[in-house]
């Protein structure tokens, strides 16, 4: 059954295809892509943890900068659990100036390998030791 939404999608796809085939599609395609805020191909994220050694329950402050990510992009903290990266309940948004900062505490003792992700971009990992 053809719903109004499906019909609109088919018409939009057909119109875009016609514009691209007519040769004037580069400008139309780039203007359509520019309407959606997406990270640039050269996007990158840095991450710093201070202090890098804490007692269980003490606060660790994570700071970093982004390049090529829009302001307001959600940055999420992850830790390595075996061979998999697991998302923790610590996140923030990229602020004006392309920076971010948030705090987290760890209850379990040991070595935590941590990183942040935002969209398709991932920071290099950093290690925090919890005693």
């Amino acid at each position: 059954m053809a719903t109004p939404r499906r019909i609109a999608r088919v018409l939009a796809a057909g119109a875009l295809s016609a514009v691209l085939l007519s040769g004037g599609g580069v400008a139309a395609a780039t203007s359509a892509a520019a309407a959606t805020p997406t990270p640039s191909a050269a996007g990158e994220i840095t991450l710093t943890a201070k202090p890098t050694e804490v007692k269980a329950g003490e606060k660790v402050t994570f700071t970093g900068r982004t390049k090529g990510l829009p302001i307001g992009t959600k940055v999420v903290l992850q830790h390595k659990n075996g061979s998999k990266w697991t998302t923790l309940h610590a996140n923030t948004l990229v602020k004006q100036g392309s920076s971010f900062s948030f705090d987290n505490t760890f209850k379990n003792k040991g070595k935590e390998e941590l990183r942040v992700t935002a969209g398709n971009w991932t920071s290099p990992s950093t290690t925090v030791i919890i005693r």
Side-chain angles (χ1 to χ4, degrees):
M1 176 163 214
T3 62
R5 184 180 213 166
R6 183 174 284 170
I7 293 169
R9 269 197 322 220
V10 169
L11 289 174
L16 181 60
S17 297
V19 169
L20 291 172
L21 289 174
S22 69
V26 174
T30 55
S31 67
T36 308
T38 56
S40 71
E44 69 180 60
I45 306 172
T46 63
L47 176 65
T48 304
K50 288 188 182 174
T52 57
E53 193 169 319
V54 294
K55 290 181 181 177
E58 287 183 343
K59 177 177 75 169
V60 178
T61 300
F62 295 93
T63 58
R65 297 190 57 87
T66 65
K67 183 177 181 182
L69 294 173
I71 294 167
T73 301
K74 188 175 185 178
V75 177
V76 180
L77 183 66
Q78 294 183 328
H79 76 119
K80 198 163 193 178
N81 188 1
S83 62
K84 292 186 175 187
W85 289 96
T86 306
T87 300
L88 299 174
H89 294 286
N91 60 67
T92 189
L93 301 176
V94 175
K95 298 183 286 190
Q96 189 75 29
S98 300
S99 65
F100 62 89
S101 177
F102 59 94
D103 299 326
N104 194 42
T105 57
F106 299 94
K107 296 178 184 175
N108 299 330
K109 294 180 179 181
K111 188 186 259 189
E112 289 281 354
E113 188 174 352
L114 302 151
R115 71 180 187 183
V116 291
T117 61
N120 295 329
W121 282 263
T122 303
S123 72
S125 64
T126 188
T127 302
V128 175
I129 299 169
I130 299 97
R131 302 217 182 269

